[in-house]
Amino acid sequence: MPDTNKQNTKNSPLKMSNWFASWFDSPYYHILYKERNEEEAEMFIDTIVHYLNLPEDAKILDLACGRGRHSIYLNQLGFDVTGADLSSNSITFAKKLENENLHFIEHDMRKPFEQKFDAILNLFTSFGYFENDEDNLITLKAIKESISDYGFAVIDFMNVPNVLANLVPNEVKTVENIDFHIKRYLKDNHICKEIDFEDKGEKYHFTEKVKALTLQDFETIMKQADIYLLDVFGNYRLKKFHKLESERLIMIFK
């Protein structure tokens, strides 16, 4: 699950209006999540690309791309890839890796693109960050408007019932000699994560908050957005979705 952030330290350049804007721009976000499973991520991308049966010259949008690790792999597979993210720091980092068929832009996912894509991928729980529920609907409409006539979109989200059943309330994770004290809980239908730590004599507090959207919630919003939900899977090998047991909620739509 991604993170949420509100910086409480005075005079911090990280302090911004939305938790996700400030947290994703923070260097500590990348430190805490530096050990993501790249092999699993690439396996999932291979599987989803095969399932979608994309043409060799397909144009793909990696929506909420972060520093571009998935965009880069998609480009290595031969696709024309655009990575988009709200974090200016992440896009600045990713732009160093651009080539003729790999581009990165700073972009708010609530806004549609003029360009149409054969596939739009929103991976690893990069949805449901907004305070206003209406913004989730606006985002889905923007995705729909940005898909080509024969294109598809994929949202890979957490499976909320499974996450809540296995929630670890408290954890200490040490990365690069920093002890991240993590607290998890459900509040106002959001799965929240509070992250406290100290570095170089300064104390930091970040809050991660993601809307606890179930498959039924997505079905309701997608209906409002005039989106056709084609298929639903429960893990990165695209096995059948089970409401309580599945680790992921992977939705293919157009």
Side-chain angles (χ1 to χ4, degrees), residues 95-106:
K95 273 188 168 295
K96 300 172 186 176
L97 306 168
E98 287 185 331
N99 60 47
E100 186 179 352
N101 293 310
L102 175 63
H103 302 281
F104 294 97
I105 60 170
E106 190 174 336

Side-chain angles (χ1 to χ4, degrees), residues 63-238:
L63 190 61
C65 68
R67 287 185 170 184
R69 64 194 184 109
H70 308 125
S71 301
I72 293 164
Y73 183 66
L74 284 162
N75 179 243
Q76 290 171 351
L77 293 178
F79 298 111
D80 185 322
V81 183
T82 298
D85 200 277
L86 189 65
S87 167
S88 57
N89 285 347
S90 291
I91 293 301
T92 298
F93 179 93
K95 273 188 168 295
K96 300 172 186 176
L97 306 168
E98 287 185 331
N99 60 47
E100 186 179 352
N101 293 310
L102 175 63
H103 302 281
F104 294 97
I105 60 170
E106 190 174 336
H107 183 84
D108 187 324
M109 65 168 60
R110 289 169 289 191
K111 298 177 181 178
F113 286 77
E114 290 185 13
Q115 180 182 357
K116 303 295 183 182
F117 297 93
D118 300 301
I120 298 178
L121 309 182
N122 180 248
L123 305 178
F124 300 96
T125 310
S126 301
F127 192 91
Y129 298 162
F130 303 110
E131 293 290 339
N132 186 349
D133 288 342
E134 181 69 16
D135 285 328
N136 293 323
L137 174 60
I138 291 170
T139 299
L140 284 178
K141 287 181 176 179
I143 292 174
K144 183 178 186 294
E145 287 182 42
S146 305
I147 305 172
S148 67
D149 291 341
Y150 300 100
F152 302 92
V154 179
I155 289 180
D156 162 37
F157 200 69
M158 60 183 169
N159 181 27
V160 168
N162 180 270
V163 168
L164 292 177
N166 297 282
L167 200 68
V168 178
N170 295 283
E171 177 187 9
V172 178
K173 185 175 180 180
T174 303
V175 187
E176 295 188 8
N177 297 317
I178 300 174
D179 294 329
F180 293 92
H181 297 262
I182 302 169
K183 180 180 179 182
R184 302 178 180 89
Y185 54 91
L186 179 69
K187 182 179 180 181
D188 297 332
N189 204 32
H190 285 78
I191 295 176
C192 303
K193 180 187 292 185
E194 293 190 25
I195 304 162
D196 291 276
F197 58 94
E198 187 173 338
D199 185 41
K200 298 175 184 176
E202 274 200 76
K203 292 184 178 180
Y204 296 87
H205 175 79
F206 294 89
T207 303
E208 193 176 302
K209 190 165 66 171
V210 180
K211 182 79 172 181
L213 295 166
T214 64
L215 174 57
Q216 186 176 3
D217 293 326
F218 273 106
E219 288 173 337
T220 298
I221 304 170
M222 286 179 174
K223 186 175 181 180
Q224 294 172 349
D226 195 26
I227 281 172
Y228 181 58
L229 182 59
L230 296 167
D231 222 333
V232 180
F233 298 105
N235 66 18
Y236 290 139
R237 297 189 181 276
L238 302 189

Side-chain angles (χ1 to χ4, degrees), residues 33-83:
Y33 292 98
K34 66 181 292 186
E35 296 176 358
R36 294 183 187 272
N37 190 328
E38 295 296 332
E39 185 178 342
E40 180 185 59
E42 291 180 4
M43 179 274 294
F44 173 47
I45 290 171
D46 286 339
T47 304
I48 202 72
V49 164
H50 178 74
Y51 172 84
L52 295 176
N53 193 26
L54 297 173
E56 291 183 3
D57 59 347
K59 297 185 184 300
I60 298 177
L61 172 64
D62 181 11
L63 190 61
C65 68
R67 287 185 170 184
R69 64 194 184 109
H70 308 125
S71 301
I72 293 164
Y73 183 66
L74 284 162
N75 179 243
Q76 290 171 351
L77 293 178
F79 298 111
D80 185 322
V81 183
T82 298

